[in-house]
Amino acid sequence: MKKQVLIAGGGIAGMAAALGATHAGWDARVFERAAAFSEVGAGVQLGPNVVRRLQAWGLHQAVQQVAALPQQLVARSALSGQVLASAPLGQSMVERYGAAYVTIHRADLHSLLYNAAKDRAGVYINPGQEVLEILGTERVTTIRTTAHKVVEGDALMLADGVWSKLRGPVLGDSSRPRVSGHLAYRALLPMTDIPVGWRSNEVTVWLGPGMHAVHYPVRRGEMMNIVVIIEGPSPDNLEHWDHAANAQVLEQALRHCSSNLQDLIRSVPAAGMQWRLWPLSDRAPIQGPEAMARGLVGLIGDAAHPMRPYLAQGAGMAIEDAAELQRALAMDDLDVELRLRRYALNRWERNARVQARSIRNGRIFHATGLVRWGRDMSMRMLGGKLMDVPWLYSGEGSSASIL
C-alpha cells in the first residue's frame, strides 16, 4: 500500500512538495485555506539551481511557455543612474550551470506547479480546507481541518508560509517572524506602458542608500515586474501582507534618485496601475535540522526558513526543499521518521546559508557612506565576477558575490 503525505498549504511550497512526494512513489493530500487559487503576487526570479529541479519534473516546456529569459543582469547606481557592473545570463547560464535563469510571474509559477500536481495520479487537492490542528504524530500523523475532517497520513509537511500557525506547536517555538523594517513596493505593467528606454530583456538592479529597486520582464516579456524596497515602519497588520500603497509616498522617498529611475516609478500611476505594499518579515537563519523536521512532521519553504528577497531565492529554496524531500521519501529501506530526518539534514545548512547571505546582501544593497563607495568601486573593478553565485547555482564551490 502506498504511503501518504499530508501537506498543509497549497502555495508554491505545497504544490512542489506534492510533486516531489508523488515522484517518490507516495500519495499526497494537499489542504489549502483558500477556496480558489487566485492570481496574486508579482515576479519571481529563478536561478538555474531551481530551473534544473523543474526540468527534472518534466516542466521545462511549461516554464518556457510562461517565463521570460533575461539576457543580462545590470547593476546601476540609484543616485546617478550609472552602470556599476553587468553579467551575462541567457545562454551563458545554460553553459555554466546546465539551465537558464528565468523570470516568471508568481501566479504563473504556482499555476504550472498546480497543473502538474493535479494531473498526477495520487495527488488530492482540497481547497477551502485549512489544517487547524495536529491531533497526533505517533506511528501516523493525524490532522483536523476547517471542514471538520480528521485525516491520517504517514507524514505531514507544513507548507503554510512565514506566518505558519502549525510551526510553533511542532517545534515548541512560540516566537513570531521578525519585522525587517523593509517595505517592498511592487507593481506589474504591460511592457508597452514602460518608458521606451527601459523596455528591455534584462534584470536591472538600482542600488541606493537605504533602498534599492529591481525590474525585469515576466510573461514571455509582455509585462514588466517592478519592485522598490525602502526602509521604514511597517503597517500594523503584518500577516495580511498585501496592502494598497500610496504612490506619492514612494515618489517622495526616491526624490534624490536618478531621474531615469523616477520616470520609471512614475510610469506606474501614469498607466493607471497601482502599487502594492508588502512589509518584509523573516526569521534568523535556522540553526539545525530540528528546524526542518521533528518526528513525522517536516517543514518546507517559508514555514521553515523565511528569508529576505536579496538573493532572489525564496521560492527557489522551497522548490529545492521539495526535490530533496523526493529523494528522502524514496528511501524505502528507512522508517519514515528517518527519511524526514535525512531530508532535514541535507537541507538545513544550505537554507541557513541562503538566509544569511540574503541578510548580508540587503545591507550591501542599501549601504551608505564609505561602505556604499567601496561597494560601487568594487563593482566597477570586478564587474560580473561579483554578480555570479557559483556555490548557489551549481551547489559547489564558493563565491564572494554580492548578488
Side-chain angles (χ1 to χ4, degrees), residues 128-140:
Q129 291 193 54
E130 180 181 4
V131 177
L132 284 180
E133 186 180 5
I134 302 170
L135 300 176
T137 58
E138 293 184 6
R139 292 179 298 176
V140 296

Side-chain angles (χ1 to χ4, degrees), residues 42-61:
V44 176
Q45 300 178 63
L46 299 178
N49 56 305
V50 185
V51 176
R52 288 197 305 271
R53 270 68 176 186
L54 297 174
Q55 290 173 345
W57 288 333
L59 299 177
H60 178 69
Q61 185 174 3

Side-chain angles (χ1 to χ4, degrees), residues 119-377:
D119 290 341
R120 286 190 63 79
V123 174
Y124 307 91
I125 300 173
N126 301 273
Q129 291 193 54
E130 180 181 4
V131 177
L132 284 180
E133 186 180 5
I134 302 170
L135 300 176
T137 58
E138 293 184 6
R139 292 179 298 176
V140 296
T141 58
T142 308
I143 62 169
R144 180 171 63 87
T145 77
T146 50
H148 307 293
K149 291 185 177 181
V150 175
V151 186
E152 289 187 349
D154 297 286
L156 169 65
M157 293 301 296
L158 305 186
D160 50 344
V162 61
W163 296 100
S164 170
K165 295 179 173 63
L166 302 171
R167 178 186 189 276
V170 169
L171 301 184
D173 176 14
S174 61
S175 67
R176 290 168 56 84
R178 61 187 185 182
V179 178
S180 70
H182 294 189
L183 305 175
Y185 288 79
R186 301 176 184 263
L188 274 168
L189 277 182
M191 195 66 76
T192 52
D193 289 327
I194 296 293
V196 174
W198 299 108
R199 297 176 191 174
S200 68
N201 193 21
E202 299 176 345
V203 177
T204 302
V205 183
W206 304 73
L207 306 178
M211 59 76 60
H212 84 283
V214 59
H215 55 86
Y216 49 81
V218 295
R219 293 194 163 155
R220 303 165 300 278
E222 298 165 10
M223 305 285 290
M224 178 76 83
N225 180 66
I226 308 173
V227 183
V228 182
I229 297 181
I230 64 175
E231 298 178 13
S234 297
D236 293 334
N237 192 351
L238 289 170
E239 293 188 43
H240 294 85
W241 41 258
D242 187 9
H243 300 259
N246 187 324
Q248 292 181 343
V249 172
L250 177 59
E251 291 174 18
Q252 177 66 15
L254 303 185
R255 65 189 182 280
H256 299 303
C257 290
S258 160
S259 60
N260 287 326
L261 177 56
Q262 293 189 53
D263 288 345
L264 180 64
I265 299 308
R266 283 193 287 265
S267 69
V268 174
M273 308 296 283
Q274 290 187 333
W275 289 97
R276 304 299 298 179
L277 175 62
W278 295 12
L280 302 181
S281 300
D282 71 347
R283 289 184 180 272
I286 55 180
Q287 298 297 305
E290 295 78 13
M292 293 196 66
R294 295 283 182 96
L296 298 178
V297 183
L299 290 82
I300 184 169
D302 283 348
H305 45 73
M307 58 189 64
R308 301 182 189 186
Y310 305 123
L311 202 54
Q313 285 288 323
M317 288 300 102
I319 292 169
E320 280 196 9
D321 286 348
E324 185 57 44
L325 179 67
Q326 174 183 333
R327 286 188 284 269
L329 293 184
M331 297 177 179
D332 294 334
D333 55 332
L334 297 180
D335 292 339
V336 173
E337 185 173 339
L338 289 177
R339 298 186 216 188
L340 291 184
R341 175 72 175 174
R342 182 66 60 85
Y343 155 75
L345 285 168
N346 288 345
R347 285 301 299 163
W348 80 268
E349 288 183 296
R350 181 166 169 86
N351 283 318
R353 185 176 186 184
V354 174
Q355 285 178 292
R357 182 59 66 90
S358 298
I359 294 169
R360 171 181 174 268
N361 275 10
R363 297 191 185 110
I364 295 173
F365 285 9
H366 293 194
T368 60
L370 289 176
V371 177
R372 179 174 66 86
W373 180 87
R375 176 201 68 198
D376 292 356
M377 182 64 68

Side-chain angles (χ1 to χ4, degrees), residues 4-33:
Q4 176 175 261
V5 60
L6 311 178
I7 301 171
I12 288 172
M15 292 304 168
L19 281 173
T22 54
H23 277 280
W26 286 48
D27 285 347
R29 292 190 178 274
V30 182
F31 298 89
E32 165 56 34
R33 175 177 58 185

